[in-house]
Amino acid sequence: MRLLLKPNLCMGMEFASDYERAVWVSALRFDNPNPPKSSEFNPYYDGKISFWLDSHQQKFPTGFLGHMLDFLGKHGITPQMEIVKPTKRIAIEVDSEICDGMKLRDYQLAAVKTALQLGRGIVTAPPRSGKTLMQAALAKTLGYKSVMFVEKVALLEQHVENLRKWGLDPGIVQGSQRDFHKTHCVAMLQTVWANHKDKDMMRWLESIEVMQVDECHHSSADTYYRAALLCPASWRIGYSGTPFSVINTSEKKFDPDIWKLVGLFGPPIVDVTLGQLQDLGLMVPVQVIQIKHTQPEEVANIDGNQWQSVYSAGIVENDSRNLAIATATIALVARGYLPLVLVKQVGHGEALFEMMRRNGLCPLFAKGSKSILTCRGNPSSWIRGSIGDAYKLMLNGGGNVLIATQIGDEGVDFPHVNALVLAVGGKADQVTTQRLFRPLTATDNKTGAVVIDFDDRQHGVLKKHSAMRRRIYKLLGFEPRMMSLQEAISSIPALLAA
């Protein structure tokens, strides 16, 4: 058997026997933990999920190479490997002040050195740990043609602004803008995929030597996954706020999304922990509360397979739960907190906005990326602006609580927020960790923060999701406490003093 190696793809060929071929095919086929419902009626479905990239089951992402060699070796097979495009590796010192005087902290410097040494892998670090600075330092140290992929326009704009401050002159690849001539570019994965048949786009991708992907957990989505695989860069580094303890590549705890990340970049190579940031005074202590909620009881009668119906009745349109959210938020504001309330659906945000406004608060609701609902004027009105604009408006006295759809989950900094209310519910995932770190950034006057979540017990599915989020909190090193609404409200002052 021959195995052809490229930085992004590998291909097997010239199998010596049917046995070799059978072992090869089985190496990237796993039991699907979440089989599609339609499989119940498909007699040909074998319960497997495949990571082969072609119908002939020959091509796979290079990040799986270690797994493939181990699997083949256990079955007595040693392939003859041929490197089609040798990967460059250089021994080089990293200047801690390479980004125009913005000095890298020790953990950032160590992360960049590890990425340079290994050439591929996932760097996990909490929000506000300076992942963009790490990306800039790596790109600037190497000096090769590079791309930093992002998934949102707000992130692209933030990246470009920071990179310019740090001495790079980045181009932009987004929509109709194609700065292919620049040494370093910030690009949208959506733009790449939408134009992947364009010759100029593919020629540019072929020229890239360094690929870095911000918030790389999004790359498990099929279109982003395929788009990132188009780039044959030698250096392939993904950055995520999801820690090692959550990214588990064990076959015994198989997660298709995590394995896609491994395929694109390789396994995790650096883990910056919350403890490290707290020791440096960059993150404050946080107390996590899950408020017990059981109403309305009739939600329990909804078929658990009808998730949207469960979510609407149990979360979005649940008046008693929404009142609890508003009551907790009112208590936080009364005690001097600056809360961020996260929702998933616009209708949910609007309902909470009106409930809070009627109860004496002055909320702001950031919807999408360009609209803000303000409490000023009669009636309340929409103005143009981003989530960042809404945050600045709140700091300048335009409101005392910020409600946001999931645009508030990542990429935008809220350093003065010291309370987070998770109205959104849902199961635990990478986004759960992104949300949790929003209020943790240390500022001069911040000594602690509070996270309010819900222990939803009104339906079996919601109860399971609440338990999953609680597990994530514990993995991150927090000690979530379950209590009633009144207990939570009365304990808020003590939490700051703890």
Side-chain angles (χ1 to χ4, degrees):
M1 177 196 305
R2 288 178 61 209
L3 184 55
L4 305 183
L5 307 181
K6 292 183 178 181
N8 56 331
L9 302 174
C10 296
M11 184 171 75
M13 56 194 303
E14 299 178 8
F15 299 97
S17 64
D18 290 342
Y19 172 74
E20 275 194 356
R21 174 67 181 168
V23 171
W24 171 266
V25 169
S26 65
L28 287 178
R29 289 172 57 79
F30 300 89
D31 291 334
N32 191 345
N34 301 298
K37 195 158 183 63
S38 59
S39 64
E40 299 176 11
F41 311 102
N42 184 355
Y44 302 103
Y45 181 69
D46 63 0
K48 299 289 185 179
I49 186 170
S50 172
F51 286 100
W52 295 108
L53 298 175
D54 63 322
S55 59
H56 299 293
Q57 298 176 317
Q58 287 182 280
K59 298 178 183 178
F60 65 88
T62 302
F64 291 142
L65 180 61
H67 163 76
M68 288 294 293
L69 295 178
D70 287 344
F71 190 91
L72 295 172
K74 290 176 182 177
H75 291 80
I77 301 171
T78 302
Q80 177 185 346
M81 292 190 288
E82 178 181 337
I83 301 176
V84 177
K85 180 183 176 182
T87 300
K88 299 177 182 178
R89 295 288 181 269
I90 54 176
I92 186 171
E93 281 298 314
V94 182
D95 181 358
S96 63
E97 298 186 5
I98 192 171
C99 292
D100 281 13
M102 176 63 78
K103 187 171 183 179
L104 275 72
R105 297 186 175 92
D106 289 345
Y107 69 85
Q108 294 170 325
L109 188 63
V112 174
K113 287 181 177 179
T114 300
L116 284 170
Q117 179 183 1
L118 299 179
R120 65 167 62 239
I122 300 171
V123 175
T124 66
R128 299 288 297 170
S129 59
K131 293 189 287 292
T132 308
L133 183 60
M134 299 179 207
Q135 296 167 34
L138 189 144
K140 205 169 182 183
T141 297
L142 287 171
Y144 297 135
K145 202 166 178 76
S146 75
V147 63
M148 299 173 208
F149 281 124
V150 297
E151 185 256 344
K152 295 179 180 178
V153 174
L155 282 175
L156 182 142
E157 294 171 348
Q158 186 174 287
H159 259 65
V160 170
E161 180 182 354
N162 286 328
L163 295 176
R164 285 173 179 163
K165 288 190 299 187
W166 298 333
L168 284 87
D169 180 28
I172 295 174
V173 179
Q174 186 254 333
S176 61
Q177 187 169 353
R178 313 286 172 81
D179 297 333
F180 294 153
H181 62 285
K182 293 291 188 75
T183 301
H184 308 290
C185 282
V186 182
M188 299 280 287
L189 280 167
Q190 298 95 315
T191 300
V192 170
W193 183 249
N195 298 275
H196 70 278
K197 294 183 180 180
D198 179 81
K199 290 182 180 179
D200 290 336
M201 179 68 74
M202 292 308 299
R203 191 178 298 115
W204 171 69
L205 285 174
E206 288 284 344
S207 72
I208 298 297
E209 289 287 350
V210 185
M211 181 184 81
Q212 301 184 83
V213 180
D214 196 54
E215 307 296 356
C216 70
H217 45 269
H218 286 294
S219 302
S220 61
D222 193 58
T223 52
Y224 298 155
Y225 178 63
R226 295 278 175 173
L229 280 173
L230 293 173
C231 182
S234 298
W235 276 272
R236 311 176 67 83
I237 308 296
Y239 298 82
S240 177
T242 304
F244 269 18
S245 55
V246 180
I247 295 181
N248 191 318
T249 58
S250 167
E251 292 177 56
K252 295 179 181 178
K253 295 183 178 179
F254 174 74
D255 183 324
D257 290 340
I258 296 301
W259 272 70
K260 281 184 178 180
L261 297 184
V262 173
L264 285 174
F265 308 106
I269 56 172
V270 174
D271 185 29
V272 179
T273 66
L274 174 62
Q276 287 177 273
L277 301 185
Q278 288 179 329
D279 289 343
L280 292 171
L282 302 175
M283 293 283 180
V284 298
V286 66
Q287 298 286 347
V288 181
I289 297 173
Q290 282 192 302
I291 296 174
K292 301 174 184 176
H293 198 79
T294 60
Q295 300 298 319
E297 295 179 355
E298 54 266 28
V299 175
N301 298 324
I302 302 174
D303 183 353
N305 292 316
Q306 304 297 320
W307 165 241
Q308 290 302 325
S309 297
V310 172
Y311 188 76
S312 293
I315 304 292
V316 177
E317 299 170 5
N318 188 335
D319 291 340
S320 62
R321 188 180 188 271
N322 286 341
L323 182 59
I325 292 169
T327 302
T329 305
I330 291 168
L332 288 166
V333 172
R335 287 161 174 78
Y337 287 83
L338 202 62
L340 171 65
V341 180
L342 290 181
V343 297
K344 182 178 182 180
Q345 298 182 7
V346 172
H348 195 194
E350 291 175 334
L352 290 173
F353 177 95
E354 288 301 325
M355 188 175 287
M356 291 178 188
R357 187 177 63 83
R358 289 196 303 268
N359 283 278
L361 292 181
C362 184
L364 295 163
F365 175 34
K367 180 193 76 168
S369 59
K370 297 296 180 183
S371 299
I372 304 169
L373 182 60
T374 70
C375 60
R376 303 300 187 191
N378 190 19
S380 302
S381 58
W382 290 99
I383 62 173
R384 290 187 60 80
S386 66
I387 176 71
D389 295 327
Y391 173 65
K392 292 175 184 176
L393 189 60
M394 180 172 65
L395 293 183
N396 291 326
N400 50 21
V401 56
L402 176 57
I403 305 169
T405 55
Q406 288 171 296
I407 55 172
D409 281 344
E410 61 192 49
V412 184
D413 296 331
F414 307 102
H416 296 283
V417 165
N418 54 6
L420 179 66
V421 181
L422 296 174
V424 65
K427 64 181 180 180
D429 53 17
Q430 292 95 338
V431 175
T432 301
T433 63
Q434 296 285 337
R435 294 169 182 155
L436 190 61
F437 283 103
R438 285 288 150 231
L440 297 186
T441 305
T443 58
D444 291 342
N445 299 319
K446 188 191 295 186
T447 58
V450 177
V451 173
I452 302 290
D453 190 6
F454 282 81
D455 179 27
D456 292 302
R457 303 182 180 187
Q458 55 269 38
H459 191 282
V461 175
L462 299 178
K463 183 177 180 179
K464 178 181 178 182
H465 287 178
S466 298
M468 291 170 70
R469 295 196 302 275
R470 190 156 52 249
R471 174 181 173 273
I472 291 291
Y473 300 150
K474 291 178 180 178
L475 282 173
L476 293 171
F478 302 111
E479 297 180 1
R481 296 193 289 170
M482 293 181 288
M483 57 184 70
S484 69
L485 174 62
Q486 291 306 315
E487 288 172 334
I489 289 174
S490 63
S491 69
I492 287 173
L495 290 176
L496 280 181

